[in-house]
């Protein structure tokens, strides 16, 4: 048994609605990971120091696996 973790970064550089676009993309990612028995353990907006016009959200997903199946803990 091993515990695996995936980190996803979602970016948007739209002029208007950057935050909404990132959240909508993250909802789709949530659906995929939840269907595989992963749980989201974090979702944090991250300031982009290089270019403040780009919005970024970082999310982490975690599950236990036996190499064949994923299990929620």
């Amino acid at each position: 048994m091993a515990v695996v973790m995936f980190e996803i970064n979602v970016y948007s550089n739209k002029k208007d609605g950057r935050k909404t676009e990132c959240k909508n993309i993250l909802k789709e990612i949530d659906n995929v990971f939840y269907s595989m028995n992963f749980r989201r353990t974090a979702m944090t907006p991250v300031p982009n120091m290089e270019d403040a016009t780009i919005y970024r959200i970082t999310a982490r997903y975690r599950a236990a696996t036996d190499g064949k199946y994923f299990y929620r803990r």
Side-chain angles (χ1 to χ4, degrees):
M1 205 62 141
V3 176
V4 294
M5 191 266 302
F6 286 93
E7 181 175 288
I8 306 293
N9 290 287
V10 179
Y11 298 87
S12 176
N13 63 350
K14 288 177 81 172
K15 192 167 192 152
D16 294 318
R18 293 184 298 254
K19 188 175 183 179
T20 302
E21 182 180 45
C22 283
K23 286 186 175 188
N24 288 338
I25 293 168
L26 200 55
K27 282 180 189 177
E28 295 299 319
I29 294 168
D30 277 348
N31 291 336
V32 171
F33 274 99
Y34 291 160
S35 72
M36 295 187 302
N37 285 331
F38 279 79
R39 288 191 181 254
R40 186 176 65 206
T41 60
M43 183 185 87
T44 310
V46 179
N48 190 338
M49 300 304 214
E50 295 278 327
D51 187 354
T53 64
I54 298 173
Y55 189 79
R56 175 183 170 193
I57 296 177
T58 298
R60 290 192 180 106
Y61 298 86
R62 184 179 182 155
T65 182
D66 60 4
K68 187 173 183 182
Y69 300 105
F70 293 104
Y71 304 97
R72 285 188 185 192
R73 293 192 81 165

